[in-house]
Amino acid sequence: MSDVLFCTDTFWKAWGDQVTAIAPDIETVLLVNEEPVADADLERITIAFFSHDAWPERAGNYFGVALRADNLAWLHSMSAGVDSPIFQTLKDRGVRLTNSSGSSSSPIARTVMMFLLALARDLPRMMRAQANAEWAWDRWSELEGKSVAVVGYGPIGQEVVRLTTAFGMQPVIVRRQAQGDETCPVRPLAELESVMAAVDAVVLALPLNDDTHGIISADLISAMQAHAFFVNVGRGELVDQLALTKALATGMLGGAGLDVTYPEPLPADDPLWALPNVIITPHNSGSTDGTARRAAERFFANLVPWVTSGDLLSEV
């Protein structure tokens, strides 16, 4: 019996030929705009790919279908982050879960460098001056020689270490314990407070789980130097956001680049929006014109062993 793939119409139009080249007998159930999926089609679904084009507008509809597909055996997510309760619900039901870890690490790491460069050059102030037609000359700070703690050493953290090194910065990796594959000094996660107190910048690239929820506490934020920058490309729930806001507003922290917040979207009346030393992007640091292709390639890499032997390369 052939597999039935649940995916968006957009994904199938772009990548259907490559899917059928791997699995010639595969059938599809497509998510088309806001149209509901028939009950008979729900029963047919055996595998699913949550692709970039479904986020964020069609994510609710997509996972509504996935949760009702009783015969779903495997779901592949384009995102490295699978901390949503929906994924755990599916796993508890026996659905095998894979993701496209690493497919967005390159653009996310470049967003980190964008944040660091923009904060070092006070780009928010320059943009305000431009909007007011002001020739507001100033002297910039350099990143070269500055120390940066990279908290988390997955694909994103590894690329951040590579880029910060290329910019002449001095990275230190913070992870649970050294594994021997690191390219610069390593400090254990248990020493995070002393590390944050000593560096010029902190880049947070941890996954969200029970152990990391709220890991950046008010005490850790207050330990940072007043000139230091804080960058978060992990999850908003990793951070005591009220403490971070207070530190940024009172000059206890030099600036922040935030691709993630809690909640998301960040409410319009949240004080973070108005702070002059904060740059906020709407959780899109990994959303580029190349990320969808890399995510699809990770799905194809798992589809090959799935159709031949029912195996997967790696599960989450």
Side-chain angles (χ1 to χ4, degrees):
M1 182 176 179
S2 61
D3 277 303
V4 177
L5 169 66
F6 173 55
C7 62
T8 67
D9 56 338
T10 308
F11 169 79
W12 188 252
K13 181 178 180 181
W15 303 100
D17 289 346
Q18 295 192 44
V19 174
T20 54
I22 297 169
D25 298 327
I26 201 167
E27 300 176 20
T28 60
V29 171
L30 301 181
L31 182 67
V32 180
N33 299 323
E34 302 296 321
E35 297 175 15
V37 173
D39 290 344
D41 283 333
L42 287 174
E43 294 298 317
R44 297 171 55 227
I45 296 169
T46 59
I47 62 177
F49 178 41
F50 178 54
S51 53
H52 271 272
D53 57 276
W55 177 262
E57 289 83 2
R58 292 199 281 176
N61 284 352
Y62 183 93
F63 282 105
V65 172
L67 289 169
R68 299 195 307 276
D70 292 336
N71 293 312
L72 178 64
W74 164 42
L75 183 142
H76 184 95
S77 174
M78 55 81 184
S79 173
V82 288
D83 48 88
S84 168
I86 291 174
F87 293 112
Q88 189 58 51
T89 298
L90 291 169
K91 289 180 68 176
D92 291 344
R93 209 179 72 192
V95 177
R96 300 172 72 178
L97 178 64
T98 56
N99 66 358
S100 291
S101 178
S103 63
S104 59
S105 57
S106 177
I108 292 176
R110 281 152 178 76
T111 301
V112 168
M113 298 312 302
M114 177 190 76
F115 283 142
L116 292 174
L117 285 166
L119 291 169
R121 284 157 170 74
D122 201 0
L123 184 61
R125 186 192 66 83
M126 293 169 59
M127 297 302 294
R128 292 191 297 272
Q130 179 177 335
N132 294 323
E134 297 175 359
W135 191 263
W137 191 95
D138 198 3
R139 195 179 304 278
W140 291 341
S141 298
E142 294 186 0
L143 293 181
E144 187 170 2
K146 298 294 193 300
S147 56
V148 54
V150 181
V151 187
Y153 198 57
I156 296 170
Q158 292 168 31
E159 185 65 3
V160 170
V161 166
R162 189 184 73 82
L163 290 180
T164 53
T165 300
F167 273 76
M169 300 186 75
Q170 299 173 350
V172 56
I173 298 163
V174 183
R175 63 189 312 190
R176 294 192 183 280
Q177 59 184 20
Q179 300 294 320
D181 60 344
E182 301 91 354
T183 59
C184 61
V186 182
R187 296 279 295 277
L189 201 56
E191 298 178 7
L192 181 55
E193 183 171 353
S194 62
V195 174
M196 290 178 61
V199 296
D200 300 303
V202 172
V203 175
L204 188 59
L206 284 171
L208 178 65
N209 53 47
D210 291 341
D211 293 333
T212 61
H213 191 283
I215 191 170
I216 307 299
S217 64
D219 288 342
L220 267 64
I221 292 168
S222 64
M224 294 180 67
Q225 300 181 71
H227 70 271
F229 301 143
F230 181 81
V231 172
N232 188 3
V233 290
R235 288 290 188 270
E237 296 93 323
L238 297 169
V239 182
D240 184 331
Q241 191 162 290
L242 289 177
L244 178 65
T245 303
K246 181 180 178 180
L248 290 162
T250 58
M252 297 170 58
L253 200 57
L258 306 175
D259 185 53
V260 290
T261 60
Y262 183 77
E264 292 181 3
L266 188 66
D269 61 352
D270 193 285
L272 274 173
W273 286 114
L275 294 180
N277 53 349
V278 176
I279 303 171
I280 298 172
T281 52
H283 201 157
N284 68 337
S285 62
S287 301
T288 67
D289 53 6
T291 304
R293 171 184 52 79
R294 290 187 294 269
E297 288 170 352
R298 303 297 198 281
F299 171 62
F300 301 150
N302 271 294
L303 184 60
V304 172
W306 177 265
V307 299
T308 56
S309 61
D311 291 330
L312 295 166
L313 295 179
S314 61
E315 297 183 48
V316 180

